[in-house]
Amino acid sequence: MTITASARSITDSWWREAAIYQIYPRSFSDSNGDGIGDFNGIRDRLPYLRDLGVSGIWLNPFYPSPNHDQGYDITDYTDVDPDYGTLEDFKEFLSGAHEFGLRVIIDIVANHCSIEHPLFRKALNAAPGSEARSRFHFQDGRGEHGQLPPNNWRSMFGGSAWSRVDDGQWYLHLFTAEQPDFNWRNPSTAAFFYDVLRFWLDLGVDGFRLDAAQGLFKHPDLPDADNPFEEERVGDAANALAWNQPEVHDVYRNWRKLVDTYAEKDGAERPLVGEITGLGSRYLRDYIGADQLHQGFFFEFMNVNWDGQSMREAIANGLQQARDTASPVTWVLGNHDTVRAATRYAGGAPGVSRGDEELGELRARAAALLILALPGSTYIFQGDELGLPEVTDLPADTLKDPVFRNTNGGRRGRDGCRVPIPWQGAEPPFGFTVGTSTWLPQPEYFSAYSVETERAQRDSTWNLYQKALAIRKEHLAGNTMFRSFDVGSDVIAFDRGEHFTCVVNAGDVPVRSPMGSEPTLTSCPFKDNMMPPNTTAWWVH
Ligand code: NOJ
Ligand code: CA
């Protein structure tokens, strides 16, 4: 067998079974009292992540941004927003994380930038048809006076996907009007991002999460969509003209070559993990593979309700995709765009209610234990290890998400999962800041979920995560085996080789434990060898 030079030198595929902790920098920990999390705050809390037992960190965007979409509208791709500190602070954080053995993945937003980005400003000041304008999608409008948008696409965050500038042309933005889409058909765009990736690789980051990875290219003619969303305020995530164009794969092939040259230097892979939404998980396999992305978030499990059959199917689909792509599943229960698991599973929703909280927390614990037992990697959204619920009743005047504004309040938006973490104490700001206020208000009831409270309680969600991560590391590392067995339609049961068994009771009545011994770890205590509903248990035997 011939082994290529690169295959021989890349020896550390750590991402394949990593447990990555997602940090939303604005809401993790504030060091200087302005109520906004920052890099020095994160650095101070690195021992917390070591104690929890995760293997790395994914950071949401921390680049200079006017925050029209909380950092996903970037004005400088190679610097740090003063809210979060300086580039020096980032470097210190990075070396601190590495000292603790934590890998660091950063977010790359290549579909769009900010209206304040120098390239967009230059485009605005340039004439229609100029090279500067061709870095974006500037078009003349339709109608007698060009007063109508060039096509009928809708923005994902509400309203038309086009905005008009003073000289009458329109520019495309698939998200907010403050996030103009780059024109990837202009080769300068690819060159620009190649340099951005190199900048961060040279600083020592360990991988990239790719925002809206199915985006970048649009259909070259920008034609009207056969748009079922026409009457809706928001866009169609599956609009086949706006997303998922074949040319995007060449970009990822080039990026893969680039990150592999870094991997070859020290043997450690620099994973590219794609956020590929709106298409259905079967499309992930087009993006993942030895010559493109290492991983893509598997959202299908996150998007199903607490229901044995649906969860079993999602798991089977994930594992099939892993076989097809030779890349393990990237399991997730939540992120900064999604209603927190403890509230989702409780039937709660932003602006409505927190639902049946007790039930939601039970299920979120059981779901966490389930995905931590599956082969593959996992991304844990900050606060999920505390079982934090969504804050569903943030007052309207505190909401920051453009989704709320752009849908005229029709959609509440994503602020409820982005509320700053409660660290300690009985009242807000719960040790998040040395100051008094926080950029989003924390509810009083967060005291029951604080890190201090939960670390002191034996059966807390924090302790469940901590034990699960430790057992996972000790007994499942390097183990890719999976064999399910049948214990009834409401029960999900599988072995991971000879010595590890996971069973989930997804029904609503207790079931007799299928194992002869006490579980090694359970999300809810057994009674008389009966496994309660909404419970996952592990046996190491
Ligand atoms: C996906 C990100 O996760 C989300 O927070 C952001 O608003 C959009 N992409 C646009 O960048
Ligand atoms: Ca701060």
Side-chain angles (χ1 to χ4, degrees):
M1 194 173 91
T2 327
I3 300 175
T4 62
S6 67
R8 193 165 46 226
S9 53
I10 300 173
T11 50
D12 184 1
S13 298
W14 56 273
W15 53 274
R16 289 185 162 262
E17 52 191 39
I20 304 285
Y21 188 86
Q22 179 190 348
I23 290 186
Y24 196 73
R26 216 170 179 74
S27 299
F28 190 63
S29 184
D30 172 27
S31 70
N32 66 350
D34 64 359
I36 297 173
D38 47 51
F39 275 116
N40 290 338
I42 301 174
R43 208 189 52 209
D44 293 346
R45 302 286 188 186
L46 289 173
Y48 171 76
L49 299 181
R50 175 204 52 206
D51 294 353
L52 181 60
V54 292
S55 48
I57 297 167
W58 152 32
L59 293 168
N60 284 105
F62 50 78
Y63 316 101
S65 165
N67 284 322
H68 292 289
D69 183 22
Q70 296 310 345
Y72 282 93
D73 47 322
I74 297 170
T75 58
D76 185 346
Y77 284 80
T78 54
D79 205 353
V80 169
D81 191 289
D83 276 353
Y84 307 121
T86 62
L87 198 54
E88 281 313 306
D89 296 336
F90 173 84
K91 290 180 191 165
E92 276 183 37
F93 148 77
L94 185 64
S95 66
H98 285 163
E99 274 165 35
F100 280 103
L102 296 164
R103 318 273 180 161
V104 176
I105 292 176
I106 65 169
D107 218 311
I108 295 293
V109 185
N111 181 71
H112 47 266
C113 61
S114 158
I115 39 164
E116 294 183 20
H117 193 283
L119 285 172
F120 190 74
R121 290 205 163 161
K122 195 170 162 199
L124 280 183
N125 291 329
S130 59
E131 164 65 18
R133 287 229 166 156
S134 80
R135 301 295 297 268
F136 299 90
H137 294 284
F138 277 92
Q139 297 280 317
D140 293 331
R142 297 197 287 198
E144 205 183 330
H145 309 288
Q147 74 279 21
L148 299 171
N151 71 25
N152 67 353
W153 298 1
R154 317 290 301 169
S155 149
M156 297 305 299
F157 292 162
S160 169
W162 296 90
S163 288
R164 203 168 189 196
V165 301
D166 288 348
D167 60 29
Q169 278 211 308
W170 299 74
Y171 67 91
L172 178 70
H173 52 85
L174 293 176
F175 295 94
T176 69
E178 293 83 7
Q179 293 166 294
D181 281 45
F182 281 110
N183 175 13
W184 273 84
R185 294 184 191 278
N186 182 330
S188 304
T189 305
F192 174 85
F193 277 100
Y194 203 77
D195 288 347
V196 169
L197 295 185
R198 285 204 355 223
F199 175 86
W200 293 106
L201 288 164
D202 287 340
L203 279 188
V205 307
D206 301 291
F208 300 108
R209 178 265 189 192
L210 309 180
D211 186 64
Q214 82 288 14
L216 279 51
F217 284 86
K218 285 76 186 152
H219 187 288
D221 305 331
L222 303 171
D224 269 342
D226 179 12
N227 194 350
F229 287 70
E230 203 145 6
E231 301 306 319
E232 304 275 334
R233 303 197 59 81
V234 296
D236 176 2
N239 175 352
L241 304 162
W243 307 107
N244 196 32
Q245 300 300 299
E247 295 86 344
V248 74
H249 300 291
D250 275 341
V251 174
Y252 298 140
R253 289 190 188 101
N254 283 332
W255 289 9
R256 181 59 176 263
K257 282 189 204 132
L258 174 66
V259 293
D260 280 353
T261 61
Y262 284 79
E264 282 160 17
K265 288 183 196 163
D266 59 9
E269 283 193 280
R270 312 293 202 269
L272 301 170
V273 47
E275 184 224 17
I276 297 156
T277 51
L279 299 171
S281 58
R282 69 179 189 284
Y283 286 92
L284 285 179
R285 67 196 67 205
D286 298 343
Y287 287 80
I288 299 171
D291 69 339
Q292 287 195 64
L293 308 185
H294 300 72
Q295 306 184 281
F297 293 109
F298 186 74
F299 292 128
E300 186 174 335
F301 184 85
M302 179 178 82
N303 291 337
V304 298
N305 290 332
W306 180 264
D307 164 72
Q309 190 52 29
S310 316
M311 291 194 287
R312 191 179 292 109
E313 272 171 32
I315 293 168
N317 291 341
L319 296 174
Q320 183 58 44
Q321 171 222 284
R323 281 189 290 275
D324 294 348
T325 58
S327 164
V329 186
T330 307
W331 303 101
V332 279
L333 265 194
N335 58 38
H336 64 292
D337 295 328
T338 309
V339 176
R340 282 200 185 265
T343 301
R344 242 169 37 227
Y345 290 134
V352 182
S353 81
R354 273 147 63 200
D356 180 343
E357 283 192 300
E358 208 179 311
L359 181 65
E361 189 168 355
L362 274 177
R363 289 178 171 174
R365 290 163 60 99
L369 221 50
L370 165 56
I371 64 170
L372 288 171
L374 290 167
S377 64
T378 183
Y379 283 67
I380 301 165
F381 180 47
Q382 67 176 39
D384 276 1
E385 80 282 17
L386 303 169
L388 273 189
E390 181 89 1
V391 182
T392 55
D393 57 354
L394 284 169
D397 62 359
T398 65
L399 294 177
K400 306 284 189 299
D401 190 346
V403 167
F404 181 66
R405 196 177 59 241
N406 293 357
T407 61
N408 283 342
R411 284 200 294 164
R412 195 85 188 162
R414 303 159 291 176
D415 294 305
C417 65
R418 300 175 176 179
V419 173
I421 294 294
W423 291 94
Q424 68 204 44
E427 290 166 14
F430 301 113
F432 167 75
T433 172
V434 291
T436 48
S437 65
T438 53
W439 76 279
L440 280 174
Q442 300 161 303
E444 299 285 337
Y445 64 77
F446 262 26
S447 65
Y449 297 88
S450 78
V451 171
E452 179 183 51
T453 306
E454 293 214 14
R455 288 188 73 163
Q457 278 168 4
R458 215 163 52 92
D459 296 328
S460 68
T461 300
W462 194 87
N463 275 306
L464 184 72
Y465 265 87
Q466 195 273 337
K467 286 184 199 137
L469 286 163
I471 296 175
R472 184 179 184 273
K473 201 179 284 170
E474 189 178 345
H475 297 281
L476 296 176
N479 170 352
T480 56
M481 291 177 282
F482 177 90
R483 190 185 62 87
S484 60
F485 57 95
D486 189 11
V487 192
S489 64
D490 287 335
V491 179
I492 299 171
F494 55 91
D495 292 321
R496 298 284 316 275
E498 296 289 301
H499 305 294
F500 186 102
T501 302
C502 173
V503 179
V504 186
N505 180 3
D508 36 47
V509 291
V511 294
R512 182 154 300 283
S513 169
M515 306 296 287
S517 57
E518 285 285 306
T520 312
L521 185 63
T522 178
S523 63
C524 183
F526 285 25
K527 231 178 163 181
D528 303 328
N529 210 28
M530 297 295 282
M531 192 175 181
N534 308 303
T535 299
T536 299
W538 289 4
W539 286 262
V540 180
H541 45 89

mmCIF file of all heavy atoms in Angstrom, residues 30-38 83, ligand 2:
data_model
loop_
_atom_site.group_PDB
_atom_site.id
_atom_site.type_symbol
_atom_site.label_atom_id
_atom_site.label_comp_id
_atom_site.label_asym_id
_atom_site.label_seq_id
_atom_site.Cartn_x
_atom_site.Cartn_y
_atom_site.Cartn_z
ATOM 1 N N ASP A 30 -16.965 38.315 32.546
ATOM 2 C CA ASP A 30 -16.527 39.702 32.332
ATOM 3 C C ASP A 30 -15.459 40.073 33.358
ATOM 4 O O ASP A 30 -15.695 39.993 34.555
ATOM 5 C CB ASP A 30 -17.754 40.618 32.472
ATOM 6 C CG ASP A 30 -17.381 42.095 32.469
ATOM 7 O OD1 ASP A 30 -16.340 42.441 31.865
ATOM 8 O OD2 ASP A 30 -18.125 42.888 33.067
ATOM 9 N N SER A 31 -14.298 40.518 32.883
ATOM 10 C CA SER A 31 -13.200 40.825 33.819
ATOM 11 C C SER A 31 -13.131 42.296 34.216
ATOM 12 O O SER A 31 -12.506 42.634 35.209
ATOM 13 C CB SER A 31 -11.854 40.424 33.196
ATOM 14 O OG SER A 31 -11.534 41.301 32.128
ATOM 15 N N ASN A 32 -13.716 43.200 33.425
ATOM 16 C CA ASN A 32 -13.480 44.625 33.705
ATOM 17 C C ASN A 32 -14.724 45.402 34.110
ATOM 18 O O ASN A 32 -14.697 46.629 34.185
ATOM 19 C CB ASN A 32 -12.801 45.300 32.502
ATOM 20 C CG ASN A 32 -13.725 45.344 31.285
ATOM 21 O OD1 ASN A 32 -14.779 44.711 31.286
ATOM 22 N ND2 ASN A 32 -13.331 46.086 30.278
ATOM 23 N N GLY A 33 -15.818 44.703 34.358
ATOM 24 C CA GLY A 33 -16.979 45.362 34.962
ATOM 25 C C GLY A 33 -17.895 46.098 34.013
ATOM 26 O O GLY A 33 -18.821 46.774 34.455
ATOM 27 N N ASP A 34 -17.679 45.956 32.691
ATOM 28 C CA ASP A 34 -18.584 46.667 31.777
ATOM 29 C C ASP A 34 -19.827 45.845 31.419
ATOM 30 O O ASP A 34 -20.637 46.266 30.591
ATOM 31 C CB ASP A 34 -17.844 47.124 30.506
ATOM 32 C CG ASP A 34 -17.341 45.957 29.673
ATOM 33 O OD1 ASP A 34 -17.544 44.788 30.082
ATOM 34 O OD2 ASP A 34 -16.730 46.205 28.616
ATOM 35 N N GLY A 35 -19.943 44.660 32.027
ATOM 36 C CA GLY A 35 -21.147 43.852 31.793
ATOM 37 C C GLY A 35 -21.099 43.012 30.536
ATOM 38 O O GLY A 35 -22.081 42.368 30.164
ATOM 39 N N ILE A 36 -19.923 43.019 29.874
ATOM 40 C CA ILE A 36 -19.728 42.255 28.633
ATOM 41 C C ILE A 36 -18.556 41.296 28.847
ATOM 42 O O ILE A 36 -17.483 41.711 29.289
ATOM 43 C CB ILE A 36 -19.405 43.215 27.460
ATOM 44 C CG1 ILE A 36 -20.592 44.157 27.204
ATOM 45 C CG2 ILE A 36 -19.033 42.450 26.200
ATOM 46 C CD1 ILE A 36 -20.310 45.247 26.179
ATOM 47 N N GLY A 37 -18.771 40.039 28.545
ATOM 48 C CA GLY A 37 -17.692 39.061 28.699
ATOM 49 C C GLY A 37 -16.486 39.436 27.846
ATOM 50 O O GLY A 37 -16.605 40.167 26.868
ATOM 51 N N ASP A 38 -15.304 38.941 28.217
ATOM 52 C CA ASP A 38 -14.085 39.296 27.479
ATOM 53 C C ASP A 38 -13.021 38.203 27.631
ATOM 54 O O ASP A 38 -13.203 37.245 28.380
ATOM 55 C CB ASP A 38 -13.559 40.657 27.956
ATOM 56 C CG ASP A 38 -13.533 40.744 29.470
ATOM 57 O OD1 ASP A 38 -12.974 39.820 30.104
ATOM 58 O OD2 ASP A 38 -14.092 41.716 30.029
ATOM 59 N N ASP A 83 -14.488 45.412 22.930
ATOM 60 C CA ASP A 83 -15.361 44.840 23.974
ATOM 61 C C ASP A 83 -14.727 43.604 24.604
ATOM 62 O O ASP A 83 -14.952 43.313 25.785
ATOM 63 C CB ASP A 83 -16.705 44.388 23.366
ATOM 64 C CG ASP A 83 -17.708 45.531 23.252
ATOM 65 O OD1 ASP A 83 -17.430 46.625 23.760
ATOM 66 O OD2 ASP A 83 -18.774 45.295 22.633
HETATM 67 CA CA CA B 2 -15.787 43.196 29.789
#
